[in-house]
Amino acid sequence: MTEQSYGSYKVELSHTDKVFFPDACITKGELLEYYERIAGIMLPHIRQRPLTLNRFPDGIGKDGFFQQSRGDYFPDWLDAVDVDHGGSTGQVTHMLANHQAGLVYLVNQGTVTFHSWLSRTDHLKAPDQVIFDLDPPGDDFEPVRQAAYLVANGMRQCGLTPYVKTTGSRGLHIVAPLKPEADFERVRSLARKLAQALANAYPEQLTTEQRKQKRRGRLYLDIMRNAFGQTAVAPYSVRAKPHAPIATPLEWDELADHKLGPQRFTLANIFRRMGQRDDPWQDMHSKAASISTFEEGVSELEEGDL
């Protein structure tokens, strides 16, 4: 066990030689090194957002688990927020990763993947993002690429500024920043209306049908993450899959590459890419749209054509 300093905090790093990704012989130490290096770019996207951790203390070759609540043994300096979920869930103390030390500490606990809320602690019930989750209806990624352009165009017609990232798993996330002025129910209702307008305009390609047997090979426009307490994989988070793929924000021109796939960027090549391009999402908050703009845009789409 070694002790590492991160600013005014100290983190004890343990079992750094343990293999976390057996297929690629990637160790826990290499995973820690990645999160140390990416922290400056990743943290602005997740700071003050409640987290759900996907932990694999013995690597992805063994069983993992999800964790929402802060561990009793976590250090006092690790930030957290108490959230009342109501109902049978009640109050949960959610973890936050607001600085490099917190991020590294959670990785040292075996966290491979970080999932974050669409809202922050100062406006927990008002999301500052709206998200479409696009997964392929089959094995071909091309329908996802095409759907991404259609969703982005629909967002732009609603006065939103769309951003895209690979999920590191099967598909893409299309995200638009919002001013935190409305609750989740209102935002999800608008996302649902936009999704329906897109499905109506492109009935052979897109659907809002949740039941798989009724999709008939069309891509499902999933807007269900736009709800209180729901999460999305955090930008630059590693996924618990072979070769350690990374959820990577993209420039829109990168989507034109037909070789692009949801697991294109990995621990092995992410910093080569980051050396060639700045973070495409770094200024997204400056493009946040008001809820009134979103509502007016959706109303116009419902009355007209995409």
mmCIF file of all heavy atoms in Angstrom, residues 132 134 146-158 174 190-208 219 221-223 301-302 304-306:
data_model
loop_
_atom_site.group_PDB
_atom_site.id
_atom_site.type_symbol
_atom_site.label_atom_id
_atom_site.label_comp_id
_atom_site.label_asym_id
_atom_site.label_seq_id
_atom_site.Cartn_x
_atom_site.Cartn_y
_atom_site.Cartn_z
ATOM 1 N N PHE A 132 -30.830 11.931 -24.875
ATOM 2 C CA PHE A 132 -31.389 10.835 -25.659
ATOM 3 C C PHE A 132 -30.348 9.720 -25.675
ATOM 4 O O PHE A 132 -29.191 9.956 -26.023
ATOM 5 C CB PHE A 132 -31.679 11.274 -27.097
ATOM 6 C CG PHE A 132 -32.985 12.003 -27.269
ATOM 7 C CD1 PHE A 132 -33.230 13.209 -26.623
ATOM 8 C CD2 PHE A 132 -33.973 11.478 -28.095
ATOM 9 C CE1 PHE A 132 -34.419 13.883 -26.785
ATOM 10 C CE2 PHE A 132 -35.170 12.145 -28.273
ATOM 11 C CZ PHE A 132 -35.402 13.349 -27.612
ATOM 12 N N LEU A 134 -29.233 6.363 -27.362
ATOM 13 C CA LEU A 134 -29.445 5.663 -28.634
ATOM 14 C C LEU A 134 -28.617 4.385 -28.676
ATOM 15 O O LEU A 134 -27.386 4.437 -28.700
ATOM 16 C CB LEU A 134 -29.058 6.563 -29.812
ATOM 17 C CG LEU A 134 -29.663 7.968 -29.847
ATOM 18 C CD1 LEU A 134 -29.175 8.720 -31.076
ATOM 19 C CD2 LEU A 134 -31.190 7.918 -29.806
ATOM 20 N N GLN A 146 -26.980 7.424 -37.844
ATOM 21 C CA GLN A 146 -28.004 8.175 -38.568
ATOM 22 C C GLN A 146 -29.019 8.793 -37.612
ATOM 23 O O GLN A 146 -29.443 9.945 -37.793
ATOM 24 C CB GLN A 146 -28.705 7.254 -39.572
ATOM 25 C CG GLN A 146 -27.797 6.754 -40.681
ATOM 26 C CD GLN A 146 -27.140 7.889 -41.453
ATOM 27 O OE1 GLN A 146 -27.781 8.906 -41.747
ATOM 28 N NE2 GLN A 146 -25.870 7.723 -41.786
ATOM 29 N N ALA A 147 -29.413 8.050 -36.587
ATOM 30 C CA ALA A 147 -30.363 8.580 -35.605
ATOM 31 C C ALA A 147 -29.767 9.761 -34.848
ATOM 32 O O ALA A 147 -30.482 10.717 -34.502
ATOM 33 C CB ALA A 147 -30.775 7.478 -34.630
ATOM 34 N N ALA A 148 -28.470 9.711 -34.590
ATOM 35 C CA ALA A 148 -27.820 10.808 -33.878
ATOM 36 C C ALA A 148 -27.967 12.124 -34.642
ATOM 37 O O ALA A 148 -28.252 13.172 -34.053
ATOM 38 C CB ALA A 148 -26.341 10.486 -33.651
ATOM 39 N N TYR A 149 -27.795 12.073 -35.973
ATOM 40 C CA TYR A 149 -27.963 13.278 -36.777
ATOM 41 C C TYR A 149 -29.409 13.777 -36.731
ATOM 42 O O TYR A 149 -29.662 14.982 -36.644
ATOM 43 C CB TYR A 149 -27.568 12.993 -38.229
ATOM 44 C CG TYR A 149 -26.085 12.834 -38.461
ATOM 45 C CD1 TYR A 149 -25.576 11.660 -39.007
ATOM 46 C CD2 TYR A 149 -25.187 13.850 -38.146
ATOM 47 C CE1 TYR A 149 -24.209 11.505 -39.233
ATOM 48 C CE2 TYR A 149 -23.830 13.707 -38.368
ATOM 49 C CZ TYR A 149 -23.349 12.525 -38.907
ATOM 50 O OH TYR A 149 -21.996 12.381 -39.121
ATOM 51 N N LEU A 150 -30.354 12.842 -36.773
ATOM 52 C CA LEU A 150 -31.765 13.234 -36.766
ATOM 53 C C LEU A 150 -32.158 13.852 -35.433
ATOM 54 O O LEU A 150 -32.871 14.861 -35.388
ATOM 55 C CB LEU A 150 -32.640 12.015 -37.071
ATOM 56 C CG LEU A 150 -32.424 11.358 -38.437
ATOM 57 C CD1 LEU A 150 -33.305 10.124 -38.588
ATOM 58 C CD2 LEU A 150 -32.693 12.347 -39.565
ATOM 59 N N VAL A 151 -31.703 13.251 -34.338
ATOM 60 C CA VAL A 151 -32.007 13.789 -33.011
ATOM 61 C C VAL A 151 -31.362 15.164 -32.845
ATOM 62 O O VAL A 151 -31.988 16.106 -32.336
ATOM 63 C CB VAL A 151 -31.538 12.821 -31.903
ATOM 64 C CG1 VAL A 151 -31.636 13.492 -30.528
ATOM 65 C CG2 VAL A 151 -32.369 11.547 -31.924
ATOM 66 N N ALA A 152 -30.110 15.286 -33.262
ATOM 67 C CA ALA A 152 -29.418 16.571 -33.146
ATOM 68 C C ALA A 152 -30.133 17.649 -33.947
ATOM 69 O O ALA A 152 -30.289 18.793 -33.479
ATOM 70 C CB ALA A 152 -27.972 16.430 -33.615
ATOM 71 N N ASN A 153 -30.588 17.312 -35.131
ATOM 72 C CA ASN A 153 -31.309 18.283 -35.949
ATOM 73 C C ASN A 153 -32.612 18.687 -35.273
ATOM 74 O O ASN A 153 -32.981 19.874 -35.257
ATOM 75 C CB ASN A 153 -31.604 17.687 -37.325
ATOM 76 C CG ASN A 153 -32.316 18.671 -38.228
ATOM 77 O OD1 ASN A 153 -31.834 19.778 -38.473
ATOM 78 N ND2 ASN A 153 -33.492 18.294 -38.728
ATOM 79 N N GLY A 154 -33.314 17.711 -34.688
ATOM 80 C CA GLY A 154 -34.540 18.029 -33.963
ATOM 81 C C GLY A 154 -34.268 18.932 -32.779
ATOM 82 O O GLY A 154 -35.021 19.878 -32.507
ATOM 83 N N MET A 155 -33.183 18.666 -32.049
ATOM 84 C CA MET A 155 -32.830 19.525 -30.921
ATOM 85 C C MET A 155 -32.545 20.944 -31.386
ATOM 86 O O MET A 155 -32.984 21.920 -30.758
ATOM 87 C CB MET A 155 -31.611 18.955 -30.195
ATOM 88 C CG MET A 155 -31.900 17.747 -29.324
ATOM 89 S SD MET A 155 -30.387 17.211 -28.455
ATOM 90 C CE MET A 155 -31.068 16.046 -27.265
ATOM 91 N N ARG A 156 -31.802 21.070 -32.475
ATOM 92 C CA ARG A 156 -31.472 22.412 -32.971
ATOM 93 C C ARG A 156 -32.730 23.173 -33.353
ATOM 94 O O ARG A 156 -32.833 24.379 -33.111
ATOM 95 C CB ARG A 156 -30.516 22.307 -34.160
ATOM 96 C CG ARG A 156 -29.129 21.778 -33.799
ATOM 97 C CD ARG A 156 -28.167 21.860 -34.968
ATOM 98 N NE ARG A 156 -26.875 21.234 -34.643
ATOM 99 C CZ ARG A 156 -26.519 20.016 -35.025
ATOM 100 N NH1 ARG A 156 -27.346 19.281 -35.780
ATOM 101 N NH2 ARG A 156 -25.354 19.520 -34.667
ATOM 102 N N GLN A 157 -33.701 22.492 -33.941
ATOM 103 C CA GLN A 157 -34.953 23.148 -34.305
ATOM 104 C C GLN A 157 -35.744 23.573 -33.077
ATOM 105 O O GLN A 157 -36.631 24.423 -33.170
ATOM 106 C CB GLN A 157 -35.785 22.238 -35.202
ATOM 107 C CG GLN A 157 -35.185 22.048 -36.583
ATOM 108 C CD GLN A 157 -36.163 21.443 -37.569
ATOM 109 O OE1 GLN A 157 -37.290 21.914 -37.708
ATOM 110 N NE2 GLN A 157 -35.748 20.397 -38.244
ATOM 111 N N CYS A 158 -35.417 22.987 -31.927
ATOM 112 C CA CYS A 158 -36.065 23.369 -30.669
ATOM 113 C C CYS A 158 -35.248 24.407 -29.903
ATOM 114 O O CYS A 158 -35.546 24.692 -28.728
ATOM 115 C CB CYS A 158 -36.276 22.141 -29.791
ATOM 116 S SG CYS A 158 -37.514 20.994 -30.408
ATOM 117 N N ILE A 174 -26.942 11.614 -26.955
ATOM 118 C CA ILE A 174 -27.085 12.962 -27.488
ATOM 119 C C ILE A 174 -27.603 13.826 -26.345
ATOM 120 O O ILE A 174 -28.679 13.564 -25.802
ATOM 121 C CB ILE A 174 -28.053 13.021 -28.687
ATOM 122 C CG1 ILE A 174 -27.754 11.890 -29.673
ATOM 123 C CG2 ILE A 174 -27.961 14.383 -29.370
ATOM 124 C CD1 ILE A 174 -26.355 11.890 -30.237
ATOM 125 N N LEU A 190 -41.123 17.150 -22.423
ATOM 126 C CA LEU A 190 -40.688 17.792 -23.662
ATOM 127 C C LEU A 190 -39.810 16.853 -24.484
ATOM 128 O O LEU A 190 -39.935 16.804 -25.716
ATOM 129 C CB LEU A 190 -39.922 19.077 -23.339
ATOM 130 C CG LEU A 190 -40.764 20.222 -22.765
ATOM 131 C CD1 LEU A 190 -39.872 21.348 -22.274
ATOM 132 C CD2 LEU A 190 -41.752 20.736 -23.809
ATOM 133 N N ALA A 191 -38.943 16.105 -23.822
ATOM 134 C CA ALA A 191 -38.110 15.129 -24.541
ATOM 135 C C ALA A 191 -38.985 14.080 -25.211
ATOM 136 O O ALA A 191 -38.715 13.665 -26.348
ATOM 137 C CB ALA A 191 -37.134 14.468 -23.575
ATOM 138 N N ARG A 192 -40.033 13.654 -24.508
ATOM 139 C CA ARG A 192 -40.941 12.654 -25.080
ATOM 140 C C ARG A 192 -41.652 13.208 -26.317
ATOM 141 O O ARG A 192 -41.816 12.511 -27.332
ATOM 142 C CB ARG A 192 -41.957 12.217 -24.027
ATOM 143 C CG ARG A 192 -42.906 11.121 -24.522
ATOM 144 C CD ARG A 192 -43.883 10.695 -23.445
ATOM 145 N NE ARG A 192 -43.211 9.994 -22.356
ATOM 146 C CZ ARG A 192 -43.057 10.469 -21.128
ATOM 147 N NH1 ARG A 192 -43.510 11.684 -20.829
ATOM 148 N NH2 ARG A 192 -42.450 9.766 -20.201
ATOM 149 N N LYS A 193 -42.069 14.456 -26.251
ATOM 150 C CA LYS A 193 -42.752 15.071 -27.400
ATOM 151 C C LYS A 193 -41.795 15.222 -28.578
ATOM 152 O O LYS A 193 -42.187 15.000 -29.742
ATOM 153 C CB LYS A 193 -43.320 16.426 -26.994
ATOM 154 C CG LYS A 193 -44.498 16.333 -26.038
ATOM 155 C CD LYS A 193 -44.977 17.719 -25.610
ATOM 156 C CE LYS A 193 -46.159 17.607 -24.641
ATOM 157 N NZ LYS A 193 -46.620 18.956 -24.199
ATOM 158 N N LEU A 194 -40.556 15.600 -28.296
ATOM 159 C CA LEU A 194 -39.568 15.694 -29.368
ATOM 160 C C LEU A 194 -39.317 14.321 -29.976
ATOM 161 O O LEU A 194 -39.246 14.177 -31.207
ATOM 162 C CB LEU A 194 -38.268 16.290 -28.832
ATOM 163 C CG LEU A 194 -37.065 16.301 -29.778
ATOM 164 C CD1 LEU A 194 -37.391 16.983 -31.098
ATOM 165 C CD2 LEU A 194 -35.855 16.965 -29.108
ATOM 166 N N ALA A 195 -39.196 13.304 -29.129
ATOM 167 C CA ALA A 195 -38.982 11.948 -29.627
ATOM 168 C C ALA A 195 -40.143 11.505 -30.512
ATOM 169 O O ALA A 195 -39.936 10.884 -31.568
ATOM 170 C CB ALA A 195 -38.809 10.981 -28.459
ATOM 171 N N GLN A 196 -41.365 11.834 -30.105
ATOM 172 C CA GLN A 196 -42.532 11.427 -30.894
ATOM 173 C C GLN A 196 -42.567 12.157 -32.230
ATOM 174 O O GLN A 196 -42.912 11.571 -33.267
ATOM 175 C CB GLN A 196 -43.819 11.691 -30.122
ATOM 176 C CG GLN A 196 -45.053 11.077 -30.767
ATOM 177 C CD GLN A 196 -44.924 9.577 -30.918
ATOM 178 O OE1 GLN A 196 -44.746 8.862 -29.930
ATOM 179 N NE2 GLN A 196 -44.969 9.074 -32.153
ATOM 180 N N ALA A 197 -42.185 13.440 -32.213
ATOM 181 C CA ALA A 197 -42.138 14.189 -33.475
ATOM 182 C C ALA A 197 -41.105 13.580 -34.419
ATOM 183 O O ALA A 197 -41.340 13.477 -35.635
ATOM 184 C CB ALA A 197 -41.807 15.654 -33.190
ATOM 185 N N LEU A 198 -39.977 13.155 -33.879
ATOM 186 C CA LEU A 198 -38.951 12.515 -34.704
ATOM 187 C C LEU A 198 -39.438 11.182 -35.247
ATOM 188 O O LEU A 198 -39.219 10.854 -36.425
ATOM 189 C CB LEU A 198 -37.679 12.314 -33.872
ATOM 190 C CG LEU A 198 -36.870 13.565 -33.564
ATOM 191 C CD1 LEU A 198 -35.917 13.317 -32.402
ATOM 192 C CD2 LEU A 198 -36.095 14.020 -34.798
ATOM 193 N N ALA A 199 -40.097 10.393 -34.403
ATOM 194 C CA ALA A 199 -40.616 9.094 -34.840
ATOM 195 C C ALA A 199 -41.687 9.266 -35.907
ATOM 196 O O ALA A 199 -41.777 8.462 -36.848
ATOM 197 C CB ALA A 199 -41.160 8.321 -33.648
ATOM 198 N N ASN A 200 -42.504 10.309 -35.782
ATOM 199 C CA ASN A 200 -43.535 10.574 -36.792
ATOM 200 C C ASN A 200 -42.918 10.989 -38.115
ATOM 201 O O ASN A 200 -43.423 10.643 -39.192
ATOM 202 C CB ASN A 200 -44.485 11.671 -36.298
ATOM 203 C CG ASN A 200 -45.341 11.231 -35.127
ATOM 204 O OD1 ASN A 200 -45.487 10.036 -34.862
ATOM 205 N ND2 ASN A 200 -45.911 12.182 -34.410
ATOM 206 N N ALA A 201 -41.810 11.732 -38.030
ATOM 207 C CA ALA A 201 -41.165 12.224 -39.254
ATOM 208 C C ALA A 201 -40.358 11.137 -39.951
ATOM 209 O O ALA A 201 -40.211 11.160 -41.184
ATOM 210 C CB ALA A 201 -40.268 13.410 -38.918
ATOM 211 N N TYR A 202 -39.842 10.179 -39.176
ATOM 212 C CA TYR A 202 -38.996 9.120 -39.745
ATOM 213 C C TYR A 202 -39.498 7.754 -39.260
ATOM 214 O O TYR A 202 -38.800 7.036 -38.530
ATOM 215 C CB TYR A 202 -37.537 9.343 -39.335
ATOM 216 C CG TYR A 202 -37.021 10.717 -39.684
ATOM 217 C CD1 TYR A 202 -36.950 11.717 -38.709
ATOM 218 C CD2 TYR A 202 -36.627 11.032 -40.986
ATOM 219 C CE1 TYR A 202 -36.489 12.988 -39.030
ATOM 220 C CE2 TYR A 202 -36.168 12.296 -41.312
ATOM 221 C CZ TYR A 202 -36.106 13.270 -40.330
ATOM 222 O OH TYR A 202 -35.661 14.527 -40.661
ATOM 223 N N PRO A 203 -40.703 7.384 -39.651
ATOM 224 C CA PRO A 203 -41.346 6.173 -39.104
ATOM 225 C C PRO A 203 -40.663 4.870 -39.492
ATOM 226 O O PRO A 203 -40.877 3.850 -38.823
ATOM 227 C CB PRO A 203 -42.767 6.244 -39.661
ATOM 228 C CG PRO A 203 -42.637 7.044 -40.926
ATOM 229 C CD PRO A 203 -41.588 8.066 -40.623
ATOM 230 N N GLU A 204 -39.857 4.878 -40.556
ATOM 231 C CA GLU A 204 -39.161 3.660 -40.960
ATOM 232 C C GLU A 204 -37.867 3.448 -40.182
ATOM 233 O O GLU A 204 -37.325 2.338 -40.156
ATOM 234 C CB GLU A 204 -38.848 3.711 -42.464
ATOM 235 C CG GLU A 204 -40.068 3.826 -43.355
ATOM 236 C CD GLU A 204 -41.031 2.672 -43.146
ATOM 237 O OE1 GLU A 204 -40.560 1.518 -43.070
ATOM 238 O OE2 GLU A 204 -42.245 2.923 -43.057
ATOM 239 N N GLN A 205 -37.367 4.514 -39.548
ATOM 240 C CA GLN A 205 -36.083 4.436 -38.862
ATOM 241 C C GLN A 205 -36.200 4.493 -37.340
ATOM 242 O O GLN A 205 -35.426 3.849 -36.630
ATOM 243 C CB GLN A 205 -35.179 5.604 -39.326
ATOM 244 C CG GLN A 205 -34.823 5.570 -40.798
ATOM 245 C CD GLN A 205 -34.215 6.879 -41.250
ATOM 246 O OE1 GLN A 205 -34.864 7.708 -41.884
ATOM 247 N NE2 GLN A 205 -32.957 7.081 -40.912
ATOM 248 N N LEU A 206 -37.162 5.292 -36.850
ATOM 249 C CA LEU A 206 -37.210 5.598 -35.430
ATOM 250 C C LEU A 206 -38.551 5.208 -34.819
ATOM 251 O O LEU A 206 -39.577 5.194 -35.501
ATOM 252 C CB LEU A 206 -36.985 7.097 -35.204
ATOM 253 C CG LEU A 206 -35.743 7.718 -35.838
ATOM 254 C CD1 LEU A 206 -35.727 9.228 -35.616
ATOM 255 C CD2 LEU A 206 -34.464 7.078 -35.281
ATOM 256 N N THR A 207 -38.527 4.920 -33.514
ATOM 257 C CA THR A 207 -39.752 4.586 -32.805
ATOM 258 C C THR A 207 -39.654 5.016 -31.348
ATOM 259 O O THR A 207 -38.547 5.119 -30.791
ATOM 260 C CB THR A 207 -40.052 3.076 -32.874
ATOM 261 O OG1 THR A 207 -41.286 2.812 -32.193
ATOM 262 C CG2 THR A 207 -38.951 2.254 -32.210
ATOM 263 N N THR A 208 -40.809 5.275 -30.744
ATOM 264 C CA THR A 208 -40.878 5.531 -29.300
ATOM 265 C C THR A 208 -41.517 4.342 -28.588
ATOM 266 O O THR A 208 -41.839 4.442 -27.402
ATOM 267 C CB THR A 208 -41.696 6.804 -29.008
ATOM 268 O OG1 THR A 208 -43.013 6.651 -29.555
ATOM 269 C CG2 THR A 208 -41.025 8.030 -29.608
ATOM 270 N N LEU A 219 -34.933 1.964 -34.536
ATOM 271 C CA LEU A 219 -34.168 2.395 -33.368
ATOM 272 C C LEU A 219 -35.095 3.085 -32.369
ATOM 273 O O LEU A 219 -35.864 3.981 -32.720
ATOM 274 C CB LEU A 219 -33.040 3.332 -33.791
ATOM 275 C CG LEU A 219 -32.087 3.739 -32.674
ATOM 276 C CD1 LEU A 219 -30.646 3.773 -33.190
ATOM 277 C CD2 LEU A 219 -32.452 5.108 -32.091
ATOM 278 N N LEU A 221 -35.983 5.553 -29.477
ATOM 279 C CA LEU A 221 -35.551 6.831 -28.929
ATOM 280 C C LEU A 221 -35.800 6.818 -27.422
ATOM 281 O O LEU A 221 -36.910 7.063 -26.955
ATOM 282 C CB LEU A 221 -36.319 7.982 -29.594
ATOM 283 C CG LEU A 221 -36.075 8.157 -31.097
ATOM 284 C CD1 LEU A 221 -37.031 9.196 -31.676
ATOM 285 C CD2 LEU A 221 -34.626 8.542 -31.371
ATOM 286 N N ASP A 222 -34.780 6.509 -26.682
ATOM 287 C CA ASP A 222 -34.901 6.314 -25.238
ATOM 288 C C ASP A 222 -34.665 7.637 -24.517
ATOM 289 O O ASP A 222 -33.555 8.172 -24.515
ATOM 290 C CB ASP A 222 -33.884 5.266 -24.787
ATOM 291 C CG ASP A 222 -34.027 4.878 -23.327
ATOM 292 O OD1 ASP A 222 -34.823 5.518 -22.611
ATOM 293 O OD2 ASP A 222 -33.335 3.944 -22.887
ATOM 294 N N ILE A 223 -35.729 8.148 -23.870
ATOM 295 C CA ILE A 223 -35.613 9.406 -23.126
ATOM 296 C C ILE A 223 -35.826 9.175 -21.628
ATOM 297 O O ILE A 223 -35.984 10.130 -20.859
ATOM 298 C CB ILE A 223 -36.617 10.455 -23.657
ATOM 299 C CG1 ILE A 223 -38.057 9.926 -23.680
ATOM 300 C CG2 ILE A 223 -36.221 10.872 -25.074
ATOM 301 C CD1 ILE A 223 -38.826 10.078 -22.406
ATOM 302 N N LEU A 301 -42.601 22.216 -33.620
ATOM 303 C CA LEU A 301 -42.426 20.942 -34.285
ATOM 304 C C LEU A 301 -43.731 20.156 -34.334
ATOM 305 O O LEU A 301 -44.049 19.505 -35.334
ATOM 306 C CB LEU A 301 -41.377 20.103 -33.561
ATOM 307 C CG LEU A 301 -39.908 20.457 -33.767
ATOM 308 C CD1 LEU A 301 -39.019 19.407 -33.103
ATOM 309 C CD2 LEU A 301 -39.566 20.550 -35.250
ATOM 310 N N GLU A 302 -44.513 20.235 -33.255
ATOM 311 C CA GLU A 302 -45.784 19.509 -33.218
ATOM 312 C C GLU A 302 -46.781 20.074 -34.216
ATOM 313 O O GLU A 302 -47.637 19.352 -34.734
ATOM 314 C CB GLU A 302 -46.373 19.560 -31.810
ATOM 315 C CG GLU A 302 -45.596 18.736 -30.791
ATOM 316 C CD GLU A 302 -46.204 18.783 -29.409
ATOM 317 O OE1 GLU A 302 -46.581 19.887 -28.968
ATOM 318 O OE2 GLU A 302 -46.318 17.717 -28.768
ATOM 319 N N GLY A 304 -45.758 21.705 -37.098
ATOM 320 C CA GLY A 304 -45.200 21.688 -38.439
ATOM 321 C C GLY A 304 -44.459 20.409 -38.748
ATOM 322 O O GLY A 304 -44.819 19.333 -38.278
ATOM 323 N N ASP A 305 -43.371 20.543 -39.531
ATOM 324 C CA ASP A 305 -42.592 19.385 -39.964
ATOM 325 C C ASP A 305 -41.137 19.577 -39.543
ATOM 326 O O ASP A 305 -40.624 20.678 -39.468
ATOM 327 C CB ASP A 305 -42.638 19.227 -41.490
ATOM 328 C CG ASP A 305 -44.044 18.929 -41.961
ATOM 329 O OD1 ASP A 305 -44.724 18.125 -41.298
ATOM 330 O OD2 ASP A 305 -44.442 19.498 -43.000
ATOM 331 N N LEU A 306 -40.471 18.436 -39.344
ATOM 332 C CA LEU A 306 -39.040 18.469 -39.085
ATOM 333 C C LEU A 306 -38.284 18.742 -40.392
ATOM 334 O O LEU A 306 -38.710 18.285 -41.441
ATOM 335 C CB LEU A 306 -38.594 17.126 -38.498
ATOM 336 C CG LEU A 306 -38.749 16.993 -36.992
ATOM 337 C CD1 LEU A 306 -38.648 15.544 -36.572
ATOM 338 C CD2 LEU A 306 -37.658 17.801 -36.278
#
